[in-house]
Amino acid sequence: MKNARILIVEDETIVARDIQMQLLELGYEVVGLATRGEEAIAMTAQAKPDLVLMDIQLAGTMDGIAAADTIRANTQQRVPVVFLTAYDADDVLARAKVTEPFGYILKPFSSRVLHSVLEMALYKIQAEARLREPNLYSQAILDNMADGVLTFDTTGAVVSTNAAAKRMFGFQPGDALDCGVSALVPPYMRPQLKAFLDQVQHRSPSLGTSHTREIVGQRKDGSVFPLSLSVSKMAQQGQARAFVGIARDLSPAQQGAEEIHQLAFFDSLTQLPNRRLFLDHMQQALLTSARNGQYGALILLNLDHFKRVNSTLGYDMGDLLLKEMARRLKAIVNESDLVARLGGDEFVVLLSAVGQHAQAAATQAEATVTKILQELGKPCSLDGHILNCTPSLGVVVFLANKQGLQQLLKNAELAMRKAKEAGRSTFRFFDAAMHSAVVAHRQRVSDLQRALEQQDFLLHYQMQYDQNAQPIGVEALLRWQHPLRGILPAVEFIALAEETRLILPLGQWVLEKACTQLAGWSSNPIRSNWSMAVNISPLQFAQDDFVANVMAALASAGANPQRLRLELTEGMLLQGGVEVMKKMRALREQNVQCALDDFGTGYSSLSLLKTLPLVQLKMDPSFVRDLHTNANALAIAQAIVALGHSLGLQVIAEGVENAAQRDLLASIQCDAFQGNHFALPVAVGELPLPQ
Ligand code: C2E
Ligand code: MG
Ligand code: MG
């Protein structure tokens, strides 16, 4: 849609101008540039653009998401908003999604991406408008039909309905049926409905073909009824734009359909889905996995020596035990996961979307398996008896339907047999290499846990120097005194500590230890001026009581807050929203300093840097490494120093490994240095004298 009129909302003027140029080149008209949220709202109302291109991170009190929300609330004039963002953090996107944006563009972007996202958004708004156009004549015909008729768009939002549909789902004739189609079925049916619609959308061969499913419908008051839903897509240029659904209430035709459904799909003893419903779900899970590229995991579970319970204590006791195991299984898994009973003492757990990589998926599946072993293994007190029952589990991780459903089940069965052979009450992955990797991972996690309990950690300190080669402080670097492998540097275990959240207690320990050291130096004439830099993990910083924890560590050690410097990273500052600013201000009020670590590796937002109370930028070693061999690297380092200085910040270079690098850094006015050329990280006793 050439000549579409676009409003740009972007607080970085340079970026805004650049986008404006690109839009003009693409043939659009730019109706204005807004820099703040409030301004964007006013200009939208006044200039009536065809589309708003909105940066999510805006200076001022209102960010792009809040502005988009207000713009959306104006129903008189529906203006599509396309978000621009430097950050694809899930929580930001989740917030943004609520405002029903017409697209996202991730910075940095190419002109081609810009063009296609905008065209798509403009197209969507036109198509929506057409769908909404009332056609009284056809509405009268529709309202006289006995079947319910609904149209809904590809996001599932109901666009129009006839009178019968409203009646069927328990709405009054005057009510707008303004929910998503998913609200028309009970929660447990939603994955199936979604899979069905996806199938119609992506796999339906020709237009006009309708697909029918018998599912369970849900009325407004929550009551359910058997529902036959036939759906066909309305498409333009091969793309599905909307769906038409014909809904038929089957309850008058099928007396007791609910019970029939229950009998057909659920196990009567445990009320869990039965094999048939499981196979249906599994088929859908394979299709979904093929589409979204996410792995799933299938866990097959068999109770150990279950027959003995039946033969010694009777079938009633066996039944009670099965019910109890079913209850525990359900309590362990997420709502989106499926637990089913295949028959006898055999259960399955189906985990969907457990990761993009096989190994990550396996690690997640292992976490669930470990919980199952723990929970099911606890003694059961049933009807006056205490029973100990353990499961054996076989696990397969799958992507798409490469192997086919039956093969997957066989593989899970084989893995379960292996677990039985290995002595029961344990698990095996079908893939032996994967099993070893998962076990090794588990071993590393428990090693780390044990190390924490036994306090097998220590701090090393790496000196920092000013331009005159005078010591100005140290960075505390965590080390693991491993019983077999010796002293391990942080790179070897920090990621694992983050993944397992053990970084929280560990990070607190580091803070306390560093503060104690700092207090110890306060009476030492030379060291009393040193600053102590402590690395902070994103998880730590995100805790509500982070600032209080820092202050508590300082207070109990009796250390001077002014000497403590927290090293934060760009990612955590960009993702945290207003909380970040609050915490940093609180720290600053208490005289604790903050530095930005690994600077230059993230997507630096200049406007953010300007507003945050920082005292230091730490230039990432990647810029230092090639300084003496690459002129570009020198230019970048120079730009970083200049940027830091323009914001009134000290710039320290990290990872300085030789004199050539130091000299070049000094020549571009870098303020301070840290690196193996000056000093290796060492235990406190090995720091330069005086002690
Ligand atoms: P970082 O904060 O950027 O720390 C600098 C890392 O570079 C340290 O590795 C240090 O030993 C290494 N290094 C220093 N000078 C040189 C040099 O000249 N050449 C080279 N090649 N490397 C040098 P380390 O101790 O393995 O720490 C790695 C990362 O782990 C740190 O990066 C930091 O992000 C994190 N870390 C370390 N200690 C802690 C901690 O107590 N808490 C948290 N959350 N993270 C920590
Ligand atoms: Mg650091
Ligand atoms: Mg660093």
Side-chain angles (χ1 to χ4, degrees):
M1 188 175 154
K2 291 283 170 191
N3 298 328
R5 302 169 66 253
I6 295 181
L7 172 68
I8 301 173
V9 189
E10 165 65 66
D11 60 343
E12 305 268 8
T13 323
I14 304 174
V15 180
R17 292 282 172 212
D18 179 46
I19 296 174
Q20 183 179 25
M21 292 286 296
Q22 291 195 39
L23 290 179
L24 295 176
E25 269 166 26
L26 290 169
Y28 298 107
E29 189 185 325
V30 174
V31 297
L33 305 180
T35 56
R36 302 173 70 91
E38 296 83 352
E39 199 184 351
I41 295 165
M43 284 173 80
T44 305
Q46 196 204 347
K48 304 202 184 333
D50 295 314
L51 183 144
V52 179
L53 193 54
M54 175 87 76
D55 188 16
I56 289 189
Q57 279 98 17
L58 292 177
T61 48
M62 184 182 248
D63 71 358
I65 297 175
D69 207 25
T70 311
I71 290 172
R72 181 180 66 125
N74 180 354
T75 46
Q76 306 281 309
Q77 173 209 5
R78 185 155 157 85
V79 183
V81 173
V82 168
F83 282 124
L84 276 172
T85 174
Y87 236 85
D88 58 349
D90 287 347
D91 53 339
V92 174
L93 293 189
R95 250 186 82 219
K97 212 168 132 195
V98 177
T99 69
E100 298 176 357
F102 280 69
Y104 296 93
I105 303 177
L106 219 53
K107 293 192 218 174
F109 53 83
S110 67
S111 169
R112 231 184 52 215
V113 167
L114 180 66
H115 189 211
S116 58
V117 176
L118 292 183
E119 285 299 297
M120 187 60 81
L122 290 164
Y123 186 87
K124 269 201 271 189
I125 190 89
Q126 279 182 345
E128 258 193 18
R130 272 200 298 274
L131 275 173
R132 284 202 170 79
E133 267 165 29
N135 183 331
L136 296 176
Y137 179 64
S138 48
Q139 188 66 43
I141 297 175
L142 285 174
D143 282 344
N144 273 309
M145 285 176 65
D147 285 337
V149 181
L150 321 143
T151 51
F152 43 95
D153 66 20
T154 49
T155 68
V158 175
V159 181
S160 69
T161 48
N162 70 347
K166 285 181 186 166
R167 265 197 313 276
M168 195 177 300
F169 293 102
F171 289 77
Q172 294 298 318
D175 284 351
L177 213 149
D178 55 357
C179 54
V181 266
S182 66
L184 302 178
V185 300
Y188 67 87
M189 263 290 145
R190 286 175 195 161
Q192 274 199 52
L193 177 64
K194 185 172 178 314
F196 173 46
L197 296 179
D198 282 352
Q199 198 180 352
V200 177
Q201 179 171 359
H202 297 289
R203 298 174 30 123
S204 170
S206 61
L207 293 182
T209 318
S210 79
H211 301 253
T212 305
R213 274 285 165 93
E214 286 188 12
I215 55 175
V216 179
Q218 177 176 257
R219 299 185 191 92
K220 199 178 172 187
D221 64 6
S223 59
V224 293
F225 62 97
L227 169 71
S228 156
L229 185 66
S230 304
V231 176
S232 56
K233 67 178 171 188
M234 301 197 287
Q236 265 162 351
Q237 293 161 351
Q239 285 276 355
R241 300 290 174 204
F243 299 100
V244 184
I246 309 287
R248 185 169 297 167
D249 184 347
L250 296 177
S251 39
Q254 272 183 27
Q255 278 303 328
E258 267 181 59
E259 289 100 289
I260 291 170
H261 175 81
Q262 185 72 21
L263 282 174
F265 292 114
F266 292 86
D267 165 43
S268 56
L269 177 67
T270 60
Q271 308 306 324
L272 289 178
N274 63 10
R275 177 182 285 270
R276 189 167 152 198
L277 188 53
F278 158 69
L279 289 176
D280 211 30
H281 271 266
M282 190 64 209
Q283 203 81 57
Q284 303 301 346
L286 288 170
L287 289 173
T288 311
S289 157
R291 244 189 336 273
N292 64 15
Q294 290 257 6
Y295 279 84
L298 178 64
I299 303 170
L300 181 71
L301 182 157
N302 189 294
L303 301 181
D304 298 330
H305 304 302
F306 177 71
K307 284 197 192 84
R308 255 189 238 163
V309 177
N310 272 344
S311 56
T312 56
L313 299 170
Y315 284 91
D316 287 350
M317 193 53 102
D319 283 357
L320 281 179
L321 184 61
L322 289 172
K323 273 167 120 169
E324 174 60 14
M325 291 299 142
R327 191 191 63 75
R328 292 186 188 181
L329 276 174
K330 271 212 78 87
I332 291 168
V333 303
N334 295 326
E335 218 170 283
S336 55
D337 301 327
L338 180 86
V339 181
R341 179 176 175 218
L342 297 189
D345 58 342
E346 200 151 83
F347 297 85
V348 277
V349 176
L350 174 61
L351 308 177
S352 37
V354 279
Q356 303 273 6
H357 303 284
Q359 204 55 57
T363 305
Q364 270 215 48
E366 192 265 353
T368 305
V369 164
T370 304
K371 245 191 275 171
I372 294 178
L373 279 166
Q374 255 168 21
E375 289 302 313
L376 269 55
K378 287 182 183 163
C380 306
S381 153
L382 298 173
D383 209 18
H385 294 269
I386 305 282
L387 295 188
N388 283 306
C389 176
T390 55
S392 294
L393 307 117
V395 192
V396 271
V397 158
F398 60 85
L399 182 66
N401 45 356
K402 281 192 197 136
Q403 303 111 318
L405 179 51
Q406 291 308 327
Q407 190 60 44
L408 271 176
L409 276 168
K410 273 194 200 133
N411 293 351
E413 176 86 28
L414 253 161
M416 195 268 288
R417 296 275 152 234
K418 279 197 261 173
K420 293 261 184 207
E421 281 160 25
R424 297 189 161 85
S425 185
T426 187
F427 69 97
R428 283 291 179 273
F429 274 77
F430 171 68
D431 180 335
M434 186 174 275
H435 187 80
S436 320
V438 160
V439 171
H441 183 267
R442 163 65 48 182
Q443 184 62 43
R444 291 177 61 214
V445 173
S446 61
D447 279 357
L448 193 63
Q449 263 158 345
R450 186 154 19 83
L452 195 65
E453 281 157 23
Q454 301 179 351
Q455 308 250 320
D456 285 344
F457 293 96
L458 70 159
L459 290 184
H460 274 183
Y461 299 94
Q462 188 171 34
M463 299 289 306
Q464 300 175 333
Y465 296 88
D466 69 7
Q467 286 170 328
N468 304 318
Q470 293 303 309
I472 51 173
V474 294
E475 175 174 5
L477 294 163
L478 185 58
R479 299 292 179 257
W480 177 356
Q481 176 78 63
H482 195 282
L484 302 175
R485 299 167 60 201
I487 293 187
L488 302 181
V491 276
E492 300 233 8
F493 60 89
I494 287 289
L496 189 65
E498 300 255 3
E499 187 190 311
T500 52
R501 299 179 70 86
L502 289 173
I503 193 71
L504 289 174
L506 198 49
Q508 190 60 25
W509 178 86
V510 171
L511 266 172
E512 284 160 16
K513 188 88 184 153
C515 288
T516 308
Q517 191 58 71
L518 201 53
W521 287 339
S522 64
S523 54
N524 177 320
I526 296 199
R527 294 185 181 172
S528 61
N529 290 328
W530 289 1
S531 60
M532 168 74 76
V534 174
N535 290 287
I536 300 298
S537 128
L539 262 177
Q540 244 180 310
F541 189 75
Q543 299 302 299
D544 287 341
D545 53 2
F546 173 69
V547 177
N549 289 340
V550 172
M551 297 321 296
L554 278 162
S556 74
N560 180 355
Q562 291 181 350
R563 298 271 153 247
L564 182 64
R565 182 172 296 162
L566 306 180
E567 293 198 357
L568 313 175
T569 52
E570 277 167 277
M572 63 212 239
L573 300 184
L574 277 170
Q575 281 174 359
V578 282
E579 282 303 309
V580 169
M581 184 63 87
K582 276 196 206 151
K583 285 179 189 162
M584 289 189 70
R585 293 220 171 109
L587 287 166
R588 152 103 121 216
E589 275 162 26
Q590 314 258 20
N591 291 320
V592 177
Q593 305 187 330
C594 291
L596 195 52
D597 204 356
D598 307 339
F599 182 73
T601 54
Y603 188 89
S604 309
S605 160
L606 293 188
S607 55
L608 184 74
L609 269 187
K610 266 187 283 186
T611 52
L612 293 175
L614 291 164
V615 297
Q616 187 187 57
L617 289 188
K618 296 195 84 172
M619 185 191 301
D620 192 72
S622 54
F623 302 104
V624 177
R625 198 173 305 132
D626 307 332
L627 272 183
H628 50 306
T629 53
N630 179 337
N632 274 338
L634 185 60
I636 295 174
Q638 196 160 14
I640 291 178
V641 173
L643 172 71
H645 287 172
S646 74
L647 297 172
L649 306 179
Q650 187 194 54
V651 180
I652 181 167
E654 262 197 289
V656 183
E657 291 186 334
N658 55 50
Q661 292 168 343
R662 190 234 12 235
D663 292 346
L664 282 167
L665 286 163
S667 78
I668 58 171
Q669 271 77 52
C670 184
D671 307 289
F673 313 95
Q674 181 185 338
N676 294 350
H677 172 67
F678 290 89
L680 295 170
V682 290
V684 67
E686 293 163 48
L687 285 170
L689 293 168
Q691 295 290 320

